[in-house]
Amino acid sequence: MRHVPPPAEELTLLDHELARLDARRLQLLSRRAWLLSVLRAPAVPSPPPVPAARPYVPPAPAPAHGTQNVLLVLGGLLLTVAAIAFTLFSWGEMGIAGRSAVLAAVTAGALVAPALLLGRALPSTAEAVAALALVLMVLDAVALHAVAAPGTDGLAFTAGASAVLVAVWTLYGLLLGRLRVPLPAAVVAGQLPLVFTAWAAGAGATGFGWALLLTAAADVAVALWGRGLAVRVTACAGAVLTGLISLALGLGLSLSADGVLGAVGAGALLLAGAAVAMAGAWRAPKETAVVGGVVGGLAAVAAVGGVPAARLPWDWAVVVYLLCGAALSVVLRLRLPRPVMWGVLGASASVVAGAVLWAAPVVAAALLGPASVTAGVWSGAPEGFRDALGLSAPWSAQSSSPVVLVVAAGLSAALHVRWPQAVPERGLRVAAAAGGAVLGWGAVPVLLAVADAPYAVAVGVELVLVAALLALVVRRGADAVAVTCLVCAAVGAASVGLLGLAAEPATYAVAGTLAVLFAGSAACSRVPAVRSVLACASVLCAIALASAAGASLRWSAPHTAPLVLVVSAATVVLGARLRTPAVAVAVELAGAFAALVAVALAVTDAPFLALVLGLCGVLAAATALRPERRRTAGYPAAALFVAAAWVRLAASGVTDPEAYTLPVSVAAFAVGHLRRRRDPAASSWVAYGPALSMTMVPSLVVAWGDPHWLRPLLLGVAALAVTLVGARLRLRAPLVLGGAVLALDALHELAPHVVQVFDALPRWAPPALAGLLLLAVGATYEQRLRDARRVRESFGRMR
């Protein structure tokens, strides 16, 4: 129960509570008064914030080092020019011996000065004086030749002097390790001794090649074990330059060798170059190692393959080089650094790709050759495969092409089957399998062309090849190899199809076999996309059979069109029975293409064109009976029926088409009205579009050529009535068709008067009127957009 205090106690509690509330009220009133006084007082600007103390940063030193380096370089350059001028041109009273002595003394001083300057902590000045000393040493060598050995061969003396300079500069750079110029200069000078020695000895291309290769080997050693980045970079550049020139000389000697002995000498040079490249790549960084592996692999292929290739014609020499390139894949089983291994594999792939590119024109000629024989259709089966190609290709010079393709295909297949586990695939294994399939497929027609196989044998072998490719497609599903085989099968089918056009029996045999193969493969495949492609290919083959049947019956192209429509009818039935929607759509689209072919065949004969259009309308209407195809096939069916009626009227020379079109339109209106009563949501285009088009469009065409006024008047009144009915009942088809016909009919009536008005106006008036119209439209652009949106929304609500 709730405790209720006595009245006296309760009164005491109320007095305490009221006192507390009064104290709180006074506190709040005092705070309010203070706030009002603060707001009414004049604003006093606050003192500016005291900036925070910043740490002392000493001023950056002036760019003295850059200025110093520029001055030192300019001073050294001027001294060098002066020394050269003194040695060569300033003869004066001093002979060459005296000048040489003075120059030697100056050189000795210049060589000693850098050590003293380094001790005084002047490295930049020491570098400049050291560079001057190096140039003076070269001038000393020139003076020494002029004084001590004027009759000596200049080339031999240059070779010896450059060797001495290399040794002296190397020792000088090692003694004064803080100097950066002498050692790279020694590397640059090291490129000369062996080359000048070979030149002085009158060596041939082989001697120069070995001299350059030995120089490159020395550069590789310096690049691997030299001291300092500048030394290694300079040596690497020298190795690349001299090594590539040496290998180019060796390759030229190998290709131009008259016999095995000449090829052996060039091969030894190339093998030594490959060894140098591999030695340099072994300890090089990643990118450099890959390049070294590529160069070493290519040099080894050229060295080994060049010896037997010297005694073989060029087409079989390609096979030798290909085998050598394929042998490089043995590095997959060796313990090589990964970058070097990838470089060697890149060299192998380059050799194989080069051989395949050499054989590619022959493959193209064998596959596309039948397309060039368009005038010999059904002229009779030729004796050999080459006669059916129609190309004058040098087949005797391409006799090794099948071997090249087979070897390349075998190499790709071997890599796919026995891919090393140590090498990551990254899609390369699948690419190898796909490449092997393409190369093996291309080798077959090339072999038939090179061997000049009989025509029947060639056709049979190519059909078997297409069947094998389709079997692989069905077996593998939808991976990259299957897609590759499918493309090859399609190209091969087109090639053998063109090949079969040479004789009438061959045409039927090839087209029928291909149709069965594609249809059977489509039935066996489990991948919808693959099945769709195969089914479309089968339909195309059926179109070829129907066209061939019409040609065999000596029918003209328009008379052959109904035969092609049989294929379309078959696709309509087949599309209704197929359970996979994607495959059904593909088959029906192929049937639509057959219908387009039939229309194209009948376009030159109006009565047959009307018949073909009507039959196409029947097929489209049959397709529209299926609920899922009602929208996509219903409109084309109506359009085809209307087009067939128009063409039939035009072909019959009817000048009053209304007598024929009005009864049909009335019947079509009745059918459309019943459709709308059963399905109020049905579109007015389906219900009333065919009936309106059946009468109004032919009448409009005739009215444009009618010089009298009665037909255009009646047509305009009818079009106006149709437009008003469409607007009143909110039906899209009567509104659009009636309005379009009314506008065109009015334009026909006003056209002569408009022409007269434009003839009467000056020439500047039409552009001026057009400009005013554009200005008006631009000024009310946003309002026009709103009006267009309202029209579109109201139009969209119509049926």
Side-chain angles (χ1 to χ4, degrees):
M1 297 178 63
R2 182 179 180 184
H3 173 71
V4 178
E9 184 179 356
E10 185 176 0
L11 181 61
T12 303
L13 293 175
L14 290 176
D15 290 337
H16 282 294
E17 186 69 17
L18 289 173
R20 190 180 66 81
L21 291 175
D22 289 337
R24 179 62 177 165
R25 184 171 183 273
L26 289 175
Q27 182 183 3
L28 294 176
L29 287 175
S30 300
R31 181 67 179 173
R32 179 175 181 276
W34 182 82
L35 292 174
L36 289 175
S37 64
V38 170
L39 291 176
R40 291 170 182 172
V44 178
S46 58
V50 179
R54 296 182 181 179
Y56 173 74
V57 179
H65 293 290
T67 306
Q68 178 186 7
N69 292 332
V70 172
L71 294 175
L72 291 175
V73 169
L74 289 177
L77 182 61
L78 291 175
L79 289 175
T80 303
V81 172
I84 294 174
F86 171 76
T87 305
L88 299 179
F89 305 109
S90 298
W91 296 97
E93 298 179 355
M94 189 181 299
I96 186 63
R99 290 197 309 274
S100 300
V102 173
L103 192 59
V106 175
T107 303
L111 289 173
V112 175
L116 300 177
L117 292 172
L118 290 175
R120 297 293 184 89
L122 298 173
S124 299
T125 308
E127 291 285 354
V129 176
L132 175 62
L134 299 182
V135 176
L136 291 176
M137 291 181 69
V138 176
L139 297 177
D140 285 332
V142 175
L144 181 63
H145 179 263
V147 174
T152 309
D153 185 12
L155 294 175
F157 185 85
T158 303
S162 58
V164 173
L165 288 176
V166 170
V168 173
W169 290 353
T170 303
L171 180 61
Y172 187 68
L174 293 176
L175 291 176
L176 301 178
R178 295 175 60 185
L179 293 178
R180 293 174 294 179
V181 175
L183 290 179
V187 174
V188 173
Q191 315 303 312
L192 304 177
L194 294 178
V195 175
F196 275 99
T197 301
W199 193 358
T206 305
F208 272 101
W210 280 107
L212 290 168
L213 184 59
L214 292 176
T215 305
D219 289 332
V220 168
V222 175
L224 294 178
W225 294 287
R227 187 173 68 179
L229 180 61
V231 174
R232 292 196 295 270
V233 170
T234 306
C236 184
V240 171
L241 179 62
T242 55
L244 290 180
I245 296 175
S246 174
L247 293 177
L249 289 174
L251 181 60
L253 292 172
S254 178
L255 294 177
S256 61
D258 296 333
V260 176
L261 293 178
V264 168
L269 176 61
L270 290 170
L271 273 181
V276 172
M278 295 296 292
W282 198 276
R283 295 184 56 184
K286 182 178 179 180
E287 293 78 8
T288 308
V290 172
V291 175
V294 172
V295 173
L298 293 176
V301 170
V304 178
V307 176
R311 301 291 297 176
L312 295 173
W314 174 245
D315 54 336
W316 289 102
V318 173
V319 178
V320 173
Y321 287 117
L322 175 61
L323 293 174
C324 295
L328 290 179
S329 59
V330 74
V331 297
L332 290 171
R333 304 298 179 184
L334 301 178
R335 294 182 179 180
L336 295 178
R338 186 62 59 85
V340 179
M341 181 185 65
W342 282 114
V344 176
L345 288 179
S348 176
S350 300
V351 174
V352 175
V356 171
L357 288 177
W358 174 79
V362 188
V363 179
L367 291 174
L368 305 178
S372 62
V373 193
T374 57
V377 176
W378 288 8
S379 59
E383 295 182 0
F385 183 46
R386 296 183 189 176
D387 296 334
L389 297 180
L391 295 174
S392 57
W395 300 107
S396 58
Q398 305 286 341
S399 57
S400 65
S401 298
V403 180
V404 169
L405 296 172
V406 169
V407 171
L411 179 62
S412 300
L415 289 177
H416 172 71
V417 174
R418 303 190 63 182
W419 191 268
Q421 298 297 328
V423 181
E425 292 187 6
R426 300 178 184 177
L428 295 178
R429 185 173 184 177
V430 179
V438 174
L439 294 171
W441 162 70
V444 176
V446 173
L447 178 61
L448 295 174
V450 170
D452 197 14
Y455 175 76
V457 174
V459 172
V461 170
E462 292 201 11
L463 287 175
V464 172
L465 182 60
V466 173
L469 291 171
L470 292 177
L472 286 175
V473 171
V474 173
R475 181 179 179 181
R476 295 191 64 94
D479 58 358
V481 179
V483 173
T484 303
C485 292
L486 181 59
V487 174
C488 293
V491 177
S495 177
V496 72
L498 293 173
L499 187 64
L501 294 178
E504 183 176 357
T507 301
Y508 285 105
V510 170
T513 304
L514 290 177
V516 173
L517 287 175
F518 282 116
S521 301
C524 296
S525 177
R526 298 180 180 180
V527 182
V530 176
R531 292 183 64 191
S532 301
V533 175
L534 294 173
C536 292
S538 179
V539 173
L540 294 178
C541 295
I543 294 174
L545 279 174
S547 302
S552 296
L553 294 174
R554 301 295 188 270
W555 289 357
S556 62
H559 290 75
T560 307
L563 287 178
V564 179
L565 284 180
V566 175
V567 179
S568 297
T571 59
V572 171
V573 177
L574 186 60
R577 297 178 63 87
L578 289 173
R579 297 181 179 179
T580 306
V583 181
V585 170
V587 170
E588 291 171 353
L589 289 177
F593 175 75
L596 290 177
V597 173
V599 171
L601 291 174
V603 74
T604 58
D605 192 334
F608 263 91
L609 179 60
L611 173 63
V612 170
L613 290 174
L615 293 176
C616 291
V618 172
L619 295 177
T623 304
L625 294 177
R626 296 158 54 191
E628 69 275 11
R629 296 287 187 268
R630 185 160 297 166
R631 280 185 173 274
T632 56
Y635 294 113
L640 288 169
F641 282 132
V642 172
W646 295 347
V647 173
R648 181 67 262 182
L649 292 175
S652 301
V654 175
T655 57
D656 297 323
E658 294 83 3
Y660 301 91
T661 57
L662 279 175
V664 179
S665 296
V666 171
F669 265 116
V671 174
H673 182 66
L674 293 176
R675 171 69 186 278
R676 289 276 296 176
R677 288 187 60 184
R678 294 180 180 178
D679 184 11
S683 173
S684 62
W685 287 105
V686 178
Y688 304 123
L692 293 172
S693 301
M694 185 69 69
T695 297
M696 297 181 71
V697 175
S699 298
L700 180 63
V701 174
V702 176
W704 268 79
D706 193 346
H708 303 289
W709 59 271
L710 181 59
R711 186 188 299 275
L713 176 63
L714 295 176
L715 179 61
V717 171
L720 178 61
V722 170
T723 304
L724 294 176
V725 170
R728 177 69 179 81
L729 299 179
R730 304 182 65 81
L731 298 176
R732 186 182 301 177
L735 179 63
V736 173
L737 288 176
V741 172
L742 180 61
L744 293 174
D745 185 67
L747 180 62
H748 169 262
E749 293 301 313
L750 293 176
H753 305 288
V754 172
V755 171
Q756 292 177 1
V757 170
F758 272 93
D759 289 338
L761 289 175
R763 293 187 177 183
W764 56 266
L769 294 175
L772 291 175
L773 177 62
L774 291 177
L775 288 176
V777 172
T780 59
Y781 181 71
E782 294 184 357
Q783 181 64 35
R784 301 286 78 77
L785 286 180
R786 289 194 292 269
D787 296 342
R789 292 193 190 98
R790 285 196 293 269
V791 171
R792 184 183 64 184
E793 291 172 359
S794 61
F795 189 73
R797 288 192 293 269
M798 293 183 178
R799 287 292 178 185

